[in-house]
Amino acid sequence: MKPEEVRRMEEEDEDEEFVGLNIEQNLLEVVQKLFKTEPEVEVFYDGFLERVHNDKKLRKHQDDRRRMNEAFLDELLKYHDLDTINNALNNVEVDTDGDVVDDEIKYVDKLLRKTFKDKMEFRMFMTYISQFMMESNDTPVEAAAKSMKRLGKADNEILKVTSVIDKIF
């Protein structure tokens, strides 16, 4: 027999999947501001639900809003720094347009070297991106997210790389 929450989530529409979480509405809304594409949002929520499922205290006390809010914020902190989250919560616009500087180039280079273990894996990543963009008409960010999932990369790695690609395109 399935737990009550699982049955309820399966019966709800896909868009309403996370409505049953005992989390403040402004925190749920900030996810749409911080993550630009649907695959990024899905990766975030999948990670959060996995955390709730694996954490015995969270699983038993899902009615404790404070504890759920803290867990949700902890999950957000895996992908964004505290200032970015605060800016999104307070609707503060930060100008991200600007020329690429050496530090950003070094960051991207370091990120790619850390994410992909060798040149062959990076080539497969690029091949998958091309394939998804041509066959499925995906955007570069969506294609990158799908490609990294296919390569078995962790959620935080996927979000870091897709956020860089999102800035470029």
Side-chain angles (χ1 to χ4, degrees), residues 24-161:
E24 291 190 30
Q25 186 63 32
N26 62 346
L27 288 177
L28 291 172
E29 290 170 358
V30 82
V31 171
Q32 295 299 323
K33 295 176 187 174
L34 293 175
F35 301 107
K36 304 295 184 215
T37 66
E38 192 62 33
E40 288 178 326
V41 173
E42 288 177 19
V43 166
F44 170 76
Y45 277 122
D46 287 346
F48 177 70
L49 290 176
E50 183 177 328
R51 179 182 185 146
V52 170
H53 178 71
N54 291 335
D55 188 330
K56 187 177 182 180
K57 288 182 180 178
L58 283 176
R59 200 172 51 241
K60 285 188 174 186
H61 301 286
Q62 288 185 16
D63 56 333
D64 184 354
R65 180 167 262 193
R66 182 192 57 80
R67 184 172 281 164
M68 291 296 284
N69 286 340
E70 286 176 5
F72 196 80
L73 280 172
D74 284 344
E75 191 69 21
L76 276 174
L77 285 170
K78 288 182 181 178
Y79 306 107
H80 296 283
D81 60 74
L82 192 56
D83 291 332
T84 306
I85 295 170
N86 278 334
N87 288 340
L89 279 170
N90 297 321
N91 292 323
V92 174
E93 293 292 325
V94 178
D95 183 24
T96 58
D97 293 339
D99 295 332
V100 177
V101 293
D102 288 337
D103 290 340
E104 290 176 338
I105 293 170
K106 289 177 185 176
Y107 169 74
V108 171
D109 186 50
K110 182 179 174 183
L111 176 67
L112 292 175
R113 290 180 190 276
K114 189 173 135 185
T115 303
F116 300 103
K117 57 186 171 212
D118 55 28
K119 289 179 183 179
M120 204 56 207
E121 187 178 44
F122 181 72
R123 287 182 185 141
M124 288 302 300
F125 169 68
M126 296 304 291
T127 303
Y128 288 146
I129 286 178
S130 300
Q131 180 183 358
F132 286 126
M133 287 178 69
M134 287 189 297
E135 292 177 0
S136 305
N137 293 327
D138 288 339
T139 65
V141 175
E142 292 170 335
K146 288 180 181 178
S147 300
M148 291 189 73
K149 256 201 189 297
R150 183 177 276 183
L151 290 171
K153 297 297 177 185
D155 293 346
N156 61 341
E157 292 175 318
I158 293 171
L159 286 174
K160 286 179 183 177
V161 170

